[in-house]
Coordinates of all heavy atoms in Angstrom, one line a residue:
M1 N -2.7 -12.8 -9.4 CA -3.5 -11.8 -8.8 C -3.5 -12.0 -7.3 O -3.7 -13.1 -6.8 CB -4.9 -11.7 -9.4 CG -5.6 -10.5 -8.9 SD -7.1 -10.3 -9.9 CE -8.3 -10.1 -8.7
T2 N -3.4 -11.0 -6.5 CA -3.4 -11.1 -5.0 C -4.8 -11.3 -4.5 O -5.7 -10.5 -4.8 CB -2.8 -9.8 -4.4 OG1 -1.5 -9.6 -5.0 CG2 -2.7 -9.9 -2.9
N3 N -4.9 -12.3 -3.7 CA -6.2 -12.6 -3.1 C -6.4 -11.5 -1.9 O -5.5 -11.3 -1.1 CB -6.1 -14.0 -2.5 CG -7.4 -14.4 -1.8 OD1 -8.0 -13.6 -1.1 ND2 -7.8 -15.7 -2.0
T4 N -7.6 -10.9 -1.8 CA -7.8 -9.9 -0.9 C -7.7 -10.4 0.6 O -7.1 -9.7 1.4 CB -9.2 -9.3 -1.0 OG1 -9.4 -8.8 -2.4 CG2 -9.5 -8.2 -0.1
S5 N -8.2 -11.6 0.8 CA -8.0 -12.2 2.2 C -6.6 -12.4 2.5 O -6.2 -12.3 3.7 CB -8.9 -13.4 2.4 OG -8.4 -14.4 1.5
T6 N -5.8 -12.8 1.6 CA -4.4 -13.1 1.8 C -3.7 -11.8 2.1 O -2.9 -11.7 3.1 CB -3.7 -13.7 0.6 OG1 -4.4 -15.0 0.3 CG2 -2.2 -14.0 0.8
L7 N -4.0 -10.7 1.3 CA -3.4 -9.4 1.6 C -3.8 -8.9 3.0 O -2.9 -8.4 3.7 CB -3.8 -8.4 0.5 CG -3.2 -7.0 0.6 CD1 -1.6 -7.1 0.6 CD2 -3.6 -6.2 -0.6
N8 N -5.0 -9.1 3.3 CA -5.5 -8.6 4.7 C -4.8 -9.4 5.8 O -4.4 -8.8 6.8 CB -7.0 -8.8 4.8 CG -7.8 -7.8 4.0 OD1 -7.3 -6.8 3.6 ND2 -9.1 -8.2 3.7
S9 N -4.6 -10.7 5.6 CA -3.8 -11.5 6.5 C -2.4 -11.0 6.7 O -1.9 -10.9 7.8 CB -3.9 -12.9 6.1 OG -3.1 -13.7 7.0
V10 N -1.8 -10.6 5.6 CA -0.4 -10.1 5.7 C -0.3 -8.8 6.4 O 0.5 -8.5 7.2 CB 0.2 -10.1 4.2 CG1 1.5 -9.3 4.2 CG2 0.4 -11.4 3.7
E11 N -1.3 -7.9 6.0 CA -1.3 -6.6 6.7 C -1.6 -6.7 8.2 O -1.0 -6.0 9.0 CB -2.4 -5.7 6.0 CG -2.0 -5.3 4.6 CD -3.2 -4.6 3.9 OE1 -4.4 -4.7 4.3 OE2 -2.9 -3.9 2.9
R12 N -2.5 -7.6 8.6 CA -2.7 -7.9 10.0 C -1.5 -8.4 10.7 O -1.1 -8.0 11.8 CB -3.9 -8.8 10.2 CG -5.2 -8.2 10.2 CD -6.3 -9.2 10.7 NE -6.3 -10.4 10.0 CZ -7.0 -10.7 8.9 NH1 -7.7 -9.7 8.3 NH2 -7.0 -11.8 8.3
A13 N -0.8 -9.3 10.0 CA 0.5 -9.9 10.6 C 1.5 -8.8 10.8 O 2.1 -8.7 11.9 CB 1.0 -11.0 9.7
C14 N 1.7 -7.9 9.8 CA 2.6 -6.8 10.0 C 2.2 -5.9 11.1 O 3.1 -5.5 11.9 CB 2.7 -6.0 8.7 SG 3.5 -6.9 7.3
A15 N 1.0 -5.6 11.2 CA 0.5 -4.7 12.3 C 0.7 -5.3 13.6 O 1.2 -4.7 14.6 CB -1.0 -4.4 12.1
D16 N 0.4 -6.6 13.8 CA 0.6 -7.3 15.0 C 2.1 -7.4 15.4 O 2.5 -7.1 16.6 CB 0.1 -8.8 14.9 CG -1.4 -8.9 14.9 OD1 -2.1 -7.9 15.2 OD2 -1.9 -10.0 14.5
L17 N 3.0 -7.6 14.4 CA 4.4 -7.7 14.7 C 4.9 -6.3 15.2 O 5.6 -6.2 16.2 CB 5.2 -8.1 13.5 CG 5.0 -9.6 13.1 CD1 5.5 -9.8 11.7 CD2 5.7 -10.5 14.1
L18 N 4.5 -5.2 14.5 CA 4.9 -3.9 14.9 C 4.4 -3.5 16.3 O 5.1 -3.0 17.1 CB 4.4 -2.9 13.9 CG 5.1 -2.9 12.5 CD1 4.3 -2.0 11.5 CD2 6.5 -2.4 12.7
R19 N 3.1 -3.9 16.6 CA 2.5 -3.6 17.8 C 3.2 -4.3 19.0 O 3.4 -3.8 20.1 CB 1.0 -3.9 17.8 CG 0.2 -3.6 19.0 CD -1.3 -3.8 18.9 NE -1.7 -5.0 18.2 CZ -2.2 -5.0 17.0 NH1 -2.3 -3.9 16.3 NH2 -2.5 -6.1 16.4
N20 N 3.7 -5.5 18.7 CA 4.4 -6.3 19.7 C 5.9 -6.0 19.8 O 6.6 -6.7 20.5 CB 4.2 -7.8 19.5 CG 2.7 -8.2 19.6 OD1 2.0 -7.6 20.4 ND2 2.3 -9.2 18.9
G21 N 6.3 -5.0 19.0 CA 7.7 -4.6 19.0 C 8.7 -5.6 18.3 O 9.9 -5.6 18.6
Q22 N 8.1 -6.5 17.5 CA 8.9 -7.5 16.8 C 9.3 -6.9 15.4 O 8.6 -6.1 14.8 CB 8.1 -8.8 16.6 CG 7.8 -9.4 18.0 CD 6.9 -10.6 17.8 OE1 5.8 -10.5 17.2 NE2 7.3 -11.8 18.3
A23 N 10.3 -7.5 14.9 CA 10.8 -7.1 13.5 C 9.8 -7.7 12.5 O 9.4 -8.8 12.6 CB 12.2 -7.6 13.3
V24 N 9.5 -6.8 11.5 CA 8.7 -7.3 10.4 C 9.7 -7.9 9.3 O 10.4 -7.2 8.7 CB 7.9 -6.2 9.7 CG1 7.1 -6.7 8.5 CG2 6.9 -5.5 10.8
T25 N 9.7 -9.2 9.3 CA 10.5 -9.9 8.3 C 9.6 -10.9 7.5 O 8.5 -11.2 8.0 CB 11.6 -10.8 9.0 OG1 11.0 -11.8 9.8 CG2 12.5 -9.9 9.9
F26 N 10.1 -11.3 6.4 CA 9.3 -12.3 5.6 C 9.1 -13.6 6.4 O 8.1 -14.2 6.3 CB 10.0 -12.6 4.3 CG 9.9 -11.4 3.3 CD1 10.7 -10.4 3.3 CD2 8.8 -11.4 2.4 CE1 10.6 -9.3 2.4 CE2 8.6 -10.4 1.5 CZ 9.5 -9.3 1.5
T27 N 10.1 -14.0 7.2 CA 10.0 -15.2 8.0 C 9.0 -15.0 9.1 O 8.2 -15.9 9.3 CB 11.4 -15.5 8.6 OG1 12.4 -15.7 7.6 CG2 11.3 -16.8 9.4
A28 N 9.0 -13.9 9.7 CA 8.0 -13.6 10.8 C 6.6 -13.6 10.2 O 5.6 -14.1 10.8 CB 8.3 -12.4 11.5
V29 N 6.4 -12.9 9.1 CA 5.1 -12.8 8.4 C 4.6 -14.2 8.0 O 3.4 -14.6 8.1 CB 5.1 -11.8 7.3 CG1 3.8 -11.8 6.5 CG2 5.4 -10.4 7.8
A30 N 5.5 -15.0 7.4 CA 5.2 -16.3 7.0 C 4.7 -17.2 8.2 O 3.7 -17.9 8.1 CB 6.4 -17.0 6.3
A31 N 5.4 -17.1 9.3 CA 5.0 -17.8 10.5 C 3.7 -17.4 11.0 O 2.9 -18.2 11.5 CB 6.1 -17.7 11.6
H32 N 3.5 -16.1 11.0 CA 2.2 -15.5 11.5 C 1.0 -15.8 10.6 O -0.1 -16.0 11.2 CB 2.4 -14.0 11.6 CG 1.4 -13.3 12.6 ND1 1.6 -13.4 13.9 CD2 0.3 -12.6 12.3 CE1 0.6 -12.7 14.5 NE2 -0.2 -12.2 13.5
T33 N 1.2 -15.9 9.3 CA 0.1 -16.1 8.4 C -0.1 -17.6 8.0 O -1.1 -18.0 7.5 CB 0.3 -15.3 7.1 OG1 1.5 -15.7 6.5 CG2 0.3 -13.8 7.4
G34 N 1.0 -18.4 8.1 CA 0.9 -19.7 7.6 C 1.3 -19.8 6.1 O 1.2 -20.9 5.5
L35 N 1.6 -18.7 5.5 CA 2.0 -18.7 4.1 C 3.5 -19.0 3.9 O 4.2 -18.8 4.9 CB 1.7 -17.3 3.5 CG 0.2 -16.9 3.4 CD1 0.1 -15.4 3.1 CD2 -0.6 -17.8 2.5
G36 N 3.8 -19.5 2.8 CA 5.2 -19.8 2.5 C 6.0 -18.5 2.2 O 5.4 -17.6 1.7
R37 N 7.3 -18.5 2.6 CA 8.1 -17.3 2.3 C 8.1 -17.0 0.8 O 8.1 -15.9 0.3 CB 9.5 -17.4 2.8 CG 9.5 -17.2 4.3 CD 10.9 -17.2 4.8 NE 11.8 -18.1 4.0 CZ 13.0 -18.4 4.3 NH1 13.5 -18.0 5.4 NH2 13.7 -19.2 3.5
T38 N 8.2 -18.1 0.0 CA 8.2 -17.9 -1.5 C 7.0 -17.2 -2.0 O 7.1 -16.3 -2.8 CB 8.3 -19.3 -2.1 OG1 9.5 -20.0 -1.6 CG2 8.4 -19.2 -3.6
T39 N 5.8 -17.5 -1.4 CA 4.6 -16.9 -1.8 C 4.7 -15.4 -1.5 O 4.3 -14.5 -2.3 CB 3.4 -17.5 -1.0 OG1 3.3 -18.9 -1.4 CG2 2.1 -16.8 -1.4
L40 N 5.2 -15.1 -0.3 CA 5.3 -13.7 0.1 C 6.3 -12.9 -0.8 O 6.0 -11.8 -1.2 CB 5.8 -13.6 1.5 CG 5.0 -14.3 2.6 CD1 5.6 -14.1 4.0 CD2 3.6 -13.7 2.6
Y41 N 7.4 -13.5 -1.2 CA 8.4 -12.9 -2.1 C 7.9 -12.7 -3.5 O 8.1 -11.7 -4.2 CB 9.7 -13.7 -2.1 CG 10.6 -13.4 -1.0 CD1 10.8 -14.3 0.1 CD2 11.3 -12.2 -0.9 CE1 11.6 -14.1 1.1 CE2 12.2 -12.0 0.2 CZ 12.3 -12.9 1.2 OH 13.1 -12.7 2.2
R42 N 7.1 -13.7 -4.0 CA 6.8 -13.7 -5.4 C 5.6 -12.8 -5.8 O 5.6 -12.2 -6.9 CB 6.3 -15.1 -5.9 CG 7.5 -16.0 -6.1 CD 7.1 -17.3 -6.6 NE 8.3 -18.2 -6.8 CZ 8.2 -19.5 -7.0 NH1 7.0 -20.1 -7.1 NH2 9.3 -20.2 -7.1
D43 N 4.7 -12.5 -4.9 CA 3.6 -11.6 -5.1 C 4.0 -10.2 -4.9 O 4.4 -9.8 -3.8 CB 2.4 -12.0 -4.2 CG 1.2 -11.2 -4.6 OD1 1.2 -10.0 -4.6 OD2 0.2 -11.9 -4.9
P44 N 4.1 -9.4 -6.0 CA 4.6 -8.0 -5.9 C 3.8 -7.1 -4.9 O 4.4 -6.3 -4.2 CB 4.5 -7.5 -7.3 CG 3.6 -8.4 -8.1 CD 3.6 -9.7 -7.4
I45 N 2.5 -7.3 -4.8 CA 1.7 -6.5 -3.9 C 2.0 -6.9 -2.4 O 2.3 -6.0 -1.6 CB 0.2 -6.6 -4.2 CG1 0.0 -6.1 -5.6 CG2 -0.6 -5.9 -3.2 CD1 -1.4 -6.3 -6.1
I46 N 2.1 -8.2 -2.2 CA 2.4 -8.6 -0.8 C 3.8 -8.3 -0.4 O 4.1 -7.8 0.7 CB 2.1 -10.2 -0.7 CG1 0.6 -10.5 -0.8 CG2 2.7 -10.7 0.6 CD1 0.3 -11.9 -0.8
R47 N 4.7 -8.5 -1.4 CA 6.1 -8.1 -1.1 C 6.3 -6.6 -0.8 O 6.9 -6.3 0.2 CB 7.0 -8.5 -2.3 CG 8.4 -8.3 -2.1 CD 9.3 -8.7 -3.2 NE 10.7 -8.6 -2.9 CZ 11.6 -9.4 -3.3 NH1 11.3 -10.4 -4.2 NH2 12.8 -9.2 -3.0
A48 N 5.6 -5.8 -1.5 CA 5.7 -4.3 -1.3 C 5.1 -4.0 0.1 O 5.6 -3.1 0.8 CB 4.9 -3.6 -2.4
T49 N 4.0 -4.7 0.4 CA 3.3 -4.4 1.7 C 4.3 -4.8 2.9 O 4.5 -4.0 3.8 CB 2.1 -5.3 1.9 OG1 1.2 -4.9 0.8 CG2 1.4 -5.1 3.2
I50 N 5.0 -5.9 2.8 CA 5.9 -6.3 3.8 C 7.1 -5.4 3.9 O 7.5 -4.9 4.9 CB 6.3 -7.8 3.6 CG1 5.1 -8.7 3.8 CG2 7.5 -8.1 4.6 CD1 5.4 -10.1 3.4
E51 N 7.6 -5.1 2.7 CA 8.8 -4.2 2.7 C 8.5 -2.8 3.2 O 9.3 -2.1 3.9 CB 9.4 -4.1 1.2 CG 10.1 -5.4 0.9 CD 10.6 -5.4 -0.6 OE1 10.2 -4.5 -1.4 OE2 11.3 -6.4 -0.9
N52 N 7.3 -2.3 2.9 CA 6.8 -1.0 3.4 C 6.8 -1.0 4.9 O 7.2 -0.1 5.5 CB 5.5 -0.7 2.8 CG 5.0 0.7 3.2 OD1 5.8 1.6 3.3 ND2 3.7 0.8 3.4
N53 N 6.2 -2.1 5.5 CA 6.1 -2.1 6.9 C 7.5 -2.3 7.6 O 7.7 -1.7 8.6 CB 5.2 -3.3 7.3 CG 3.7 -2.9 7.2 OD1 3.2 -2.2 8.1 ND2 3.1 -3.3 6.2
R54 N 8.3 -3.1 6.9 CA 9.7 -3.2 7.4 C 10.4 -1.9 7.5 O 11.1 -1.5 8.4 CB 10.5 -4.1 6.5 CG 10.2 -5.6 6.7 CD 10.9 -6.4 5.7 NE 12.4 -6.4 6.0 CZ 13.3 -7.1 5.3 NH1 12.9 -7.8 4.3 NH2 14.5 -7.0 5.6
H55 N 10.3 -1.2 6.4 CA 10.9 0.1 6.3 C 10.4 1.2 7.2 O 11.1 1.9 7.9 CB 10.8 0.6 4.8 CG 11.7 1.8 4.6 ND1 13.0 1.8 4.5 CD2 11.3 3.1 4.3 CE1 13.5 3.0 4.3 NE2 12.5 3.8 4.2
R56 N 9.1 1.2 7.4 CA 8.4 2.1 8.3 C 8.9 1.9 9.7 O 9.2 2.8 10.5 CB 6.9 1.9 8.2 CG 6.2 2.9 9.1 CD 4.7 2.8 9.0 NE 4.3 3.0 7.6 CZ 3.2 2.3 7.1 NH1 2.5 1.5 7.8 NH2 2.9 2.5 5.8
A57 N 9.0 0.6 10.1 CA 9.5 0.3 11.4 C 11.0 0.7 11.6 O 11.4 1.2 12.7 CB 9.4 -1.2 11.7
A58 N 11.8 0.6 10.6 CA 13.2 0.9 10.7 C 13.5 2.4 10.7 O 14.4 2.8 11.4 CB 13.9 0.2 9.5
T59 N 12.6 3.2 10.0 CA 12.9 4.6 9.9 C 12.2 5.4 10.9 O 12.6 6.5 11.2 CB 12.5 5.1 8.5 OG1 11.1 4.9 8.3 CG2 13.3 4.5 7.4
G60 N 11.2 4.9 11.5 CA 10.5 5.6 12.6 C 9.9 7.0 12.2 O 9.8 7.8 13.0
G61 N 9.6 7.2 10.9 CA 8.9 8.4 10.5 C 9.8 9.6 10.3 O 9.4 10.7 10.2
T62 N 11.1 9.4 10.1 CA 12.0 10.5 9.8 C 11.8 11.0 8.3 O 11.1 10.3 7.5 CB 13.5 10.0 9.9 OG1 13.7 9.0 8.9 CG2 13.8 9.5 11.2
L63 N 12.3 12.1 8.0 CA 12.1 12.7 6.7 C 12.7 11.8 5.6 O 12.1 11.5 4.6 CB 12.7 14.1 6.6 CG 12.5 14.8 5.2 CD1 11.0 14.9 4.9 CD2 13.1 16.2 5.3
A64 N 13.9 11.3 5.9 CA 14.5 10.3 5.0 C 13.7 9.1 4.8 O 13.5 8.5 3.8 CB 15.9 10.0 5.4
G65 N 13.1 8.6 6.0 CA 12.3 7.4 6.0 C 11.0 7.6 5.1 O 10.6 6.7 4.4
L66 N 10.4 8.8 5.3 CA 9.2 9.1 4.6 C 9.5 9.2 3.1 O 8.7 8.7 2.2 CB 8.6 10.4 5.1 CG 8.0 10.3 6.5 CD1 7.5 11.7 6.9 CD2 6.9 9.3 6.5
T67 N 10.7 9.7 2.7 CA 11.1 9.8 1.3 C 11.2 8.4 0.7 O 10.8 8.1 -0.4 CB 12.4 10.6 1.2 OG1 12.2 11.9 1.7 CG2 12.8 10.7 -0.3
D68 N 11.9 7.5 1.5 CA 12.0 6.2 1.0 C 10.7 5.4 0.9 O 10.5 4.7 0.0 CB 13.0 5.4 2.0 CG 14.4 5.8 1.8 OD1 14.7 6.5 0.9 OD2 15.2 5.5 2.7
E69 N 9.8 5.7 1.9 CA 8.5 5.1 1.9 C 7.7 5.5 0.6 O 7.1 4.7 0.0 CB 7.7 5.5 3.1 CG 6.4 4.8 3.2 CD 5.7 5.0 4.6 OE1 6.3 5.5 5.5 OE2 4.5 4.7 4.6
I70 N 7.8 6.8 0.3 CA 7.2 7.3 -0.9 C 7.7 6.6 -2.2 O 7.0 6.2 -3.1 CB 7.3 8.8 -1.1 CG1 6.5 9.5 0.0 CG2 6.9 9.3 -2.5 CD1 6.7 11.0 0.1
A71 N 9.0 6.4 -2.2 CA 9.6 5.7 -3.3 C 9.1 4.2 -3.4 O 8.8 3.7 -4.5 CB 11.1 5.7 -3.2
T72 N 9.0 3.6 -2.3 CA 8.5 2.2 -2.2 C 7.0 2.2 -2.7 O 6.7 1.3 -3.5 CB 8.6 1.6 -0.8 OG1 10.0 1.7 -0.4 CG2 8.1 0.2 -0.7
L73 N 6.2 3.1 -2.2 CA 4.8 3.1 -2.6 C 4.7 3.4 -4.1 O 3.9 2.9 -4.8 CB 4.1 4.2 -1.8 CG 3.9 3.8 -0.3 CD1 3.3 5.0 0.4 CD2 3.0 2.6 -0.2
R74 N 5.6 4.3 -4.6 CA 5.6 4.6 -6.0 C 5.8 3.4 -6.9 O 5.2 3.1 -7.9 CB 6.6 5.7 -6.3 CG 6.2 6.7 -7.4 CD 7.2 7.8 -7.6 NE 6.6 9.0 -7.1 CZ 7.2 9.9 -6.4 NH1 8.5 9.8 -6.1 NH2 6.6 11.0 -6.0
A75 N 6.8 2.6 -6.4 CA 7.1 1.3 -7.1 C 6.0 0.4 -7.1 O 5.7 -0.3 -8.1 CB 8.4 0.7 -6.5
A76 N 5.3 0.3 -6.0 CA 4.1 -0.6 -5.9 C 3.0 -0.1 -6.8 O 2.4 -0.9 -7.5 CB 3.6 -0.6 -4.4
V77 N 2.8 1.2 -6.9 CA 1.8 1.7 -7.8 C 2.1 1.5 -9.2 O 1.3 1.1 -10.0 CB 1.6 3.3 -7.5 CG1 0.7 3.9 -8.6 CG2 0.9 3.5 -6.2
E78 N 3.4 1.6 -9.6 CA 3.8 1.3 -10.9 C 3.6 -0.2 -11.3 O 3.2 -0.5 -12.4 CB 5.3 1.7 -11.1 CG 5.5 3.2 -11.1 CD 7.0 3.6 -11.1 OE1 7.9 2.7 -11.4 OE2 7.3 4.7 -10.9
T79 N 3.8 -1.0 -10.3 CA 3.6 -2.5 -10.6 C 2.1 -2.7 -10.8 O 1.8 -3.4 -11.7 CB 4.1 -3.3 -9.3 OG1 5.5 -3.1 -9.2 CG2 3.8 -4.8 -9.5
L80 N 1.3 -2.1 -10.0 CA -0.2 -2.3 -10.2 C -0.6 -1.7 -11.5 O -1.5 -2.3 -12.2 CB -0.9 -1.6 -9.0 CG -0.8 -2.3 -7.7 CD1 -1.4 -1.4 -6.6 CD2 -1.5 -3.6 -7.7
A81 N -0.1 -0.5 -11.9 CA -0.5 0.1 -13.1 C -0.1 -0.8 -14.3 O -0.9 -0.9 -15.3 CB 0.2 1.5 -13.2
E82 N 1.0 -1.4 -14.2 CA 1.4 -2.3 -15.3 C 0.5 -3.5 -15.4 O 0.1 -3.9 -16.5 CB 2.9 -2.8 -15.1 CG 3.4 -3.7 -16.2 CD 3.3 -3.2 -17.6 OE1 3.5 -1.9 -17.8 OE2 3.0 -3.9 -18.5
R83 N 0.1 -4.0 -14.3 CA -0.9 -5.1 -14.3 C -2.2 -4.7 -14.9 O -2.8 -5.4 -15.7 CB -1.1 -5.6 -12.9 CG -0.4 -6.7 -12.5 CD -1.0 -7.3 -11.2 NE -0.3 -8.5 -10.9 CZ -0.3 -9.1 -9.7 NH1 -1.0 -8.6 -8.7 NH2 0.3 -10.2 -9.5
V84 N -2.6 -3.5 -14.6 CA -3.9 -3.0 -15.1 C -3.8 -2.8 -16.6 O -4.7 -3.2 -17.4 CB -4.3 -1.6 -14.5 CG1 -5.4 -0.9 -15.2 CG2 -4.7 -1.9 -13.0
R85 N -2.6 -2.3 -17.1 CA -2.4 -2.1 -18.5 C -2.5 -3.5 -19.2 O -3.1 -3.6 -20.3 CB -1.1 -1.4 -18.8 CG -1.2 0.1 -18.6 CD 0.1 0.8 -19.1 NE 1.3 0.5 -18.3 CZ 1.6 1.2 -17.2 NH1 0.8 2.2 -16.8 NH2 2.7 0.9 -16.5
R86 N -1.9 -4.5 -18.7 CA -1.9 -5.8 -19.3 C -3.3 -6.4 -19.3 O -3.7 -7.0 -20.3 CB -1.0 -6.8 -18.5 CG 0.5 -6.7 -18.8 CD 1.3 -7.9 -18.3 NE 1.0 -8.3 -17.0 CZ 1.6 -8.0 -15.9 NH1 2.7 -7.3 -16.0 NH2 1.2 -8.5 -14.7
H87 N -4.0 -6.2 -18.2 CA -5.4 -6.7 -18.2 C -6.3 -6.0 -19.2 O -7.1 -6.6 -19.9 CB -6.0 -6.6 -16.8 CG -5.4 -7.6 -15.8 ND1 -5.4 -7.4 -14.5 CD2 -4.7 -8.7 -16.0 CE1 -4.8 -8.4 -13.9 NE2 -4.4 -9.2 -14.8
E88 N -6.1 -4.7 -19.3 CA -6.9 -3.9 -20.3 C -6.6 -4.4 -21.7 O -7.5 -4.5 -22.5 CB -6.6 -2.4 -20.1 CG -7.2 -1.8 -18.9 CD -6.8 -0.3 -18.7 OE1 -5.8 0.1 -19.3 OE2 -7.6 0.3 -17.9
E89 N -5.3 -4.6 -22.0 CA -4.9 -5.1 -23.3 C -5.6 -6.5 -23.6 O -6.1 -6.8 -24.7 CB -3.4 -5.2 -23.4 CG -2.9 -5.7 -24.8 CD -3.3 -4.8 -25.9 OE1 -3.5 -3.6 -25.7 OE2 -3.5 -5.3 -27.0
Q90 N -5.6 -7.4 -22.6 CA -6.2 -8.7 -22.7 C -7.7 -8.5 -23.0 O -8.3 -9.2 -23.8 CB -6.0 -9.5 -21.5 CG -4.6 -10.0 -21.3 CD -4.4 -10.7 -20.0 OE1 -5.2 -10.6 -19.1 NE2 -3.3 -11.5 -19.9
L91 N -8.3 -7.6 -22.3 CA -9.8 -7.4 -22.5 C -10.1 -6.8 -23.9 O -11.0 -7.2 -24.5 CB -10.3 -6.4 -21.4 CG -10.5 -7.0 -20.0 CD1 -10.8 -5.8 -19.0 CD2 -11.5 -8.0 -20.0
R92 N -9.2 -5.9 -24.4 CA -9.4 -5.4 -25.7 C -9.2 -6.5 -26.8 O -10.0 -6.6 -27.7 CB -8.3 -4.3 -26.0 CG -8.7 -2.9 -25.5 CD -7.8 -1.8 -26.1 NE -6.5 -1.9 -25.6 CZ -6.0 -1.4 -24.4 NH1 -6.9 -0.8 -23.6 NH2 -4.8 -1.5 -24.1
K93 N -8.3 -7.4 -26.6 CA -8.1 -8.5 -27.5 C -9.3 -9.5 -27.5 O -9.8 -9.9 -28.5 CB -6.8 -9.3 -27.2 CG -5.6 -8.6 -27.5 CD -4.4 -9.4 -27.2 CE -3.1 -8.6 -27.5 NZ -1.9 -9.4 -27.1
L94 N -9.8 -9.7 -26.3 CA -11.0 -10.6 -26.2 C -12.2 -9.9 -26.8 O -13.0 -10.6 -27.5 CB -11.3 -10.9 -24.7 CG -10.3 -11.9 -24.1 CD1 -10.6 -12.0 -22.6 CD2 -10.4 -13.3 -24.7
A95 N -12.4 -8.7 -26.6 CA -13.5 -7.9 -27.2 C -13.4 -7.9 -28.7 O -14.5 -8.0 -29.4 CB -13.6 -6.5 -26.6
S96 N -12.2 -7.7 -29.2 CA -12.1 -7.7 -30.7 C -12.4 -9.1 -31.3 O -12.9 -9.1 -32.4 CB -10.7 -7.2 -31.1 OG -9.7 -8.1 -30.8
R97 N -12.1 -10.1 -30.6 CA -12.4 -11.5 -31.1 C -13.9 -11.8 -31.1 O -14.4 -12.4 -32.0 CB -11.7 -12.5 -30.2 CG -10.2 -12.6 -30.4 CD -9.7 -13.7 -29.5 NE -8.2 -13.6 -29.4 CZ -7.5 -14.2 -28.6 NH1 -8.0 -15.0 -27.6 NH2 -6.2 -14.1 -28.6
E98 N -14.6 -11.2 -30.1 CA -16.0 -11.5 -30.0 C -16.8 -10.6 -30.9 O -17.9 -10.9 -31.4 CB -16.5 -11.3 -28.6 CG -15.9 -12.3 -27.6 CD -16.3 -12.1 -26.2 OE1 -17.1 -11.1 -25.9 OE2 -15.9 -12.9 -25.3
G99 N -16.3 -9.4 -31.2 CA -17.0 -8.4 -32.0 C -16.8 -8.5 -33.4 O -17.2 -8.8 -34.4

């Protein structure tokens, strides 16, 4: 599960990199946050956040870029929805054991 402070740190790093005209890369975000690149790649929410910022910087708000951004966000939402479904299933199993 993604730690909120870690996600906030990654989002701030992406914003700082964009504001300074630097490329948003996993290496740059890792250096900015002190997190390992492996951590950034493995966490689906953090990975989607970085990829979204990378893509936004590359496309500059074009229609094609916005379409791609929507696709990326859709994939992130699907990942989150799957996590929620798994957690709900775990809760149902625990509740049935207790009840």
Side-chain angles (χ1 to χ4, degrees):
M1 187 167 131
T2 304
N3 181 321
T4 303
S5 65
T6 302
L7 182 58
N8 288 341
S9 177
V10 168
E11 289 173 340
R12 276 192 305 275
C14 291
D16 289 346
L17 290 166
L18 289 170
R19 186 174 36 258
N20 295 329
Q22 297 173 304
V24 177
T25 64
F26 284 88
T27 302
V29 173
H32 200 76
T33 61
L35 297 169
R37 285 186 328 192
T38 303
T39 300
L40 302 178
Y41 278 107
R42 285 187 182 165
D43 188 301
I45 296 170
I46 290 174
R47 185 177 186 147
T49 299
I50 294 169
E51 289 176 348
N52 182 40
N53 279 284
R54 285 175 68 177
H55 189 68
R56 184 177 302 145
T59 59
T62 64
L63 184 57
L66 293 174
T67 301
D68 288 345
E69 185 174 344
I70 289 169
T72 301
L73 292 172
R74 213 175 252 140
V77 168
E78 288 173 13
T79 299
L80 289 171
E82 180 56 36
R83 261 192 174 166
V84 168
R85 284 190 287 275
R86 280 196 317 260
H87 289 157
E88 286 175 340
E89 181 62 29
Q90 289 173 343
L91 287 171
R92 279 193 291 277
K93 287 179 182 177
L94 288 172
S96 68
R97 289 181 191 166
E98 292 177 2

